[in-house]
Amino acid sequence: IGASFIGHPPVQKGKLIIEDNTHPSTSFTDSTEILWTEEWYSFDRSPRSSAHVLISVDENSYDVDDNRWFEGIKQRMGDHPVAWYHEKDGGRIYQTALGHEAAAYQTEFMRRHIIGAIMWAGHKEK
């Protein structure tokens, strides 16, 4: 998918940065920043060189260095994408690290984010 999971701090609020609002999974929002509660996944690398990043998280907006469950793992990425896509061999690959809390699915943002991703992956975007 472009990167591998390495760890996460406890669930907490952080700031999402909407980098591209032209994709079906982000096109419904005019916001460029959203305060969001999440289990902020860190990855072994940023996928930015091989994928198109849609959403990242501002690492200064939450305690990224709390690695109590992943001792010795450096969770700070600097460039920290949380939703991205790319195409390979005619297939579409979409990754979102959002949605760990059940309450997220009660929000219009999360429902439209997931539906947009599914529609894009199935070549059904408008």
Side-chain angles (χ1 to χ4, degrees):
I1 61 171
S4 296
F5 168 83
I6 60 167
H8 63 79
V11 172
Q12 57 192 291
K13 286 185 180 176
K15 183 171 42 175
L16 292 176
I17 309 297
I18 309 299
E19 296 190 25
D20 180 352
N21 67 351
T22 64
H23 189 273
S25 68
T26 55
S27 63
F28 56 88
T29 183
D30 292 330
S31 300
T32 57
E33 296 180 352
I34 299 170
L35 190 59
W36 191 258
T37 300
E38 191 59 68
E39 184 176 81
W40 299 107
Y41 273 23
S42 289
F43 302 95
D44 62 346
R45 64 189 170 279
S46 169
R48 197 174 294 275
S49 65
S50 61
H52 185 87
V53 174
L54 298 166
I55 305 172
S56 59
V57 62
D58 177 353
E59 290 184 333
N60 294 318
S61 69
Y62 72 102
D63 187 3
V64 67
D65 298 316
D66 181 346
N67 65 350
R68 66 181 85 172
W69 300 315
F70 300 91
E71 197 170 317
I73 298 296
K74 180 181 172 269
Q75 297 178 147
R76 185 170 293 276
M77 294 174 58
D79 177 24
H80 199 140
V82 294
W84 63 83
Y85 71 90
H86 59 107
E87 297 186 41
K88 183 172 180 153
D89 298 332
R92 289 183 163 185
I93 297 121
Y94 190 94
Q95 158 63 26
T96 185
L98 302 178
H100 289 90
E101 293 293 291
Y105 295 92
Q106 300 305 312
T107 69
E108 181 180 359
F109 176 85
M110 191 64 191
R111 289 191 306 265
R112 292 184 75 179
H113 177 61
I114 295 295
I115 290 168
I118 291 168
M119 298 300 284
W120 175 81
H123 296 271
K124 302 290 185 189
E125 69 271 26
K126 294 177 184 176

